[in-house]
Amino acid sequence: MKNKVLTHRLTALLLLLTLFCPAFTPRAAALDDPKIDATAAILVNPDTGMVLYEKSADEKRYPASTTKIMTALIVLENANMDDVVTAEEADFHDVTWDASNADIKVGEQVKVLDLLYALMLPSANEAANMLARHVGGTIENFVDMMNARASELGCTGTHFVNPNGLHSDDHYTTARDLYTIAQEAMKDETFATVVNTAQHRMAKTNMHDERIIFTTNQLIFSSYQPWFYAYAKGIKTGHTSEAGNCLVSYSNRRDAKLFSVVLGCADAPDSSTVAKSFTETKRLFEWGYENFVSKTLAKQGDAIQQIDVRLSADTTKLVLTAGRDLNASIPKDLDPEDMEKQITVPESQNAPIKAGDVIGSMTFSYGGVEYGTVELVALNDVELSKVLYYADKLENFFKGTVFKVILVVLLIFIVLYVIFNLTFGRMRRRKQRKMMRSRYNRYNRRR
């Protein structure tokens, strides 16, 4: 009986909390951790910048051939795709018999565009060296360009020593930095086309007939394999014994875009499957699409807040609106109406004001997680009243420090003047009385 009464009381309490305290509304359990089997990983919606998943994303790791994303970006920004590069002996100094290559020969003349395909599909190390030498003059200069570009992009955990990703203790990056570099590279249409190509026919050269090269990216290589992912659009694989298996990938599913980076994945458990970098990336994409959805939290032009206006004869209020559409990736079971909205605006704004002026901001969050911030802008122009402006200046002058200093000086002057008059006035009166007594005494003596 007591248990039933207790149950009814708890139910009633929960109902009251639900009705009057939205923060206590029962929700679905927190998202399940996908438990990605990698030493570092990150999953990001590039349209919103929202990180959906991360694991040791800022820890320094060896990137292996995912380095070539930056190599390709520098080439695309500095070279003509029709330029022809002649392979030199030095381009092969670090290309061992078991290193990734495109079977380019010393003295072979290859167009830059074909070298890019060789760089990004079979991950040819000699192509990386040829491109670096062509663009930078020397490989060392090109590496300096890579590091400078990484710094420009805001990469704080990255340092390159070569253009191909062969191991060096001083050659490292982070999952977050690789996402930043890949996002920038994917803005280039040529890059996006190259990395989403499963096979490419290289043009005939002075030393080769036409030949077909294949991608190492198993997510896009063959639709007949279980690890194939139809929404994947590249980008780059990598592997060394020190780095493990790495993959930077991009997915576009019904205009919902995701970038994924996994580093340090294990090798294939047996010959019938692939390295875990592919299966873990596919699983991470599927987890992201299953658990998150893109929603509009604010629409451009939505009226958000009113604040007071000063120094205008036209109005005393200013309407603030959302400066742009704010889209965010949020958990599927989260209603945007339940999100906390932190509005940061001044109590008042002085005229003149132009429509579109940024006045404040509004941040959406839930459970301590921020999902996006939108600027709040003035809805309309507000003209300045010169009468009110100068009246305000005068009022501020009387309230200001300068006026207070002048007032203090003036008071000191008055006090000193009074003291002076009191002091020297007595002295004059004494002198006058003394003179009068002297004259009186002289007069009496003459009588």
Side-chain angles (χ1 to χ4, degrees), residues 329-359:
S329 294
I330 64 175
K332 280 188 175 180
D333 66 340
L334 175 58
D335 187 339
E337 293 299 320
D338 293 338
M339 302 180 79
E340 300 168 10
K341 303 173 184 66
Q342 181 180 349
I343 299 174
T344 304
V345 294
E347 291 184 3
S348 63
Q349 186 77 8
N350 290 346
I353 302 167
K354 294 293 184 183
D357 282 354
V358 176
I359 308 298

Side-chain angles (χ1 to χ4, degrees), residues 61 138 201 209 323 350 365 400:
R61 303 289 176 183
T138 66
R201 186 180 298 274
D209 290 331
N350 290 346
S365 63

Side-chain angles (χ1 to χ4, degrees), residues 181-196:
I181 296 167
Q183 184 188 27
E184 183 67 19
M186 285 294 284
K187 295 176 183 177
D188 188 287
E189 291 183 5
T190 300
F191 180 89
T193 298
V194 169
V195 299
N196 193 35

Side-chain angles (χ1 to χ4, degrees), residues 253-269:
R253 177 179 171 183
R254 294 190 291 274
D255 291 329
K257 305 176 183 67
L258 294 175
F259 276 90
S260 166
V261 179
V262 294
L263 303 175
C265 292
D267 290 332

Side-chain angles (χ1 to χ4, degrees), residues 310-314 351-352 382-394:
R310 298 181 67 256
L311 310 183
S312 175
D314 299 332
V382 179
E383 297 295 329
L384 172 70
S385 167
K386 290 186 177 180
V387 173
L388 293 177
Y389 173 76
Y390 287 113
D392 182 69
K393 285 289 186 185
L394 189 61

Side-chain angles (χ1 to χ4, degrees), residues 7-163:
T7 300
H8 289 316
R9 287 178 179 175
L10 288 173
T11 303
L13 178 61
L14 184 58
L15 179 60
L16 288 172
L17 289 172
T18 301
L19 291 173
F20 299 106
C21 302
F24 286 91
T25 301
R27 305 197 53 79
L31 295 175
D32 291 334
D33 186 343
K35 294 182 173 59
I36 296 302
D37 189 4
T39 58
I42 195 168
L43 181 70
V44 187
N45 180 330
D47 291 335
T48 65
M50 187 69 191
V51 176
L52 309 186
Y53 174 85
E54 61 179 292
K55 176 183 179 181
S56 304
D58 295 306
E59 292 185 6
K60 292 178 181 177
R61 303 289 176 183
Y62 300 129
S65 285
T66 61
T67 298
K68 290 164 181 164
I69 299 171
M70 177 60 88
T71 302
L73 175 61
I74 299 297
V75 171
L76 286 161
E77 291 176 341
N78 293 277
N80 187 312
M81 295 299 102
D82 290 327
D83 287 350
V84 175
V85 184
T86 302
E88 298 180 357
E89 188 74 40
D91 298 326
F92 299 84
H93 79 278
D94 54 2
V95 184
T96 58
W97 66 269
D98 57 344
S100 301
N101 66 85
D103 194 30
I104 298 172
K105 309 296 184 183
V106 175
E108 187 169 0
Q109 298 174 336
V110 187
K111 282 189 175 182
V112 166
L113 182 59
D114 275 334
L115 286 174
L116 276 175
Y117 275 102
L119 178 79
M120 301 305 288
L121 273 62
S123 200
N125 290 320
E126 75 273 31
N129 294 337
M130 291 170 67
L131 289 166
R133 178 173 52 79
H134 176 69
V135 171
T138 66
I139 289 178
E140 290 75 16
N141 288 343
F142 186 84
V143 171
D144 288 341
M145 296 171 69
M146 294 171 70
N147 286 317
R149 191 70 173 99
S151 181
E152 287 176 7
L153 292 172
C155 300
T156 57
T158 295
H159 183 259
F160 298 114
V161 299
N162 62 59

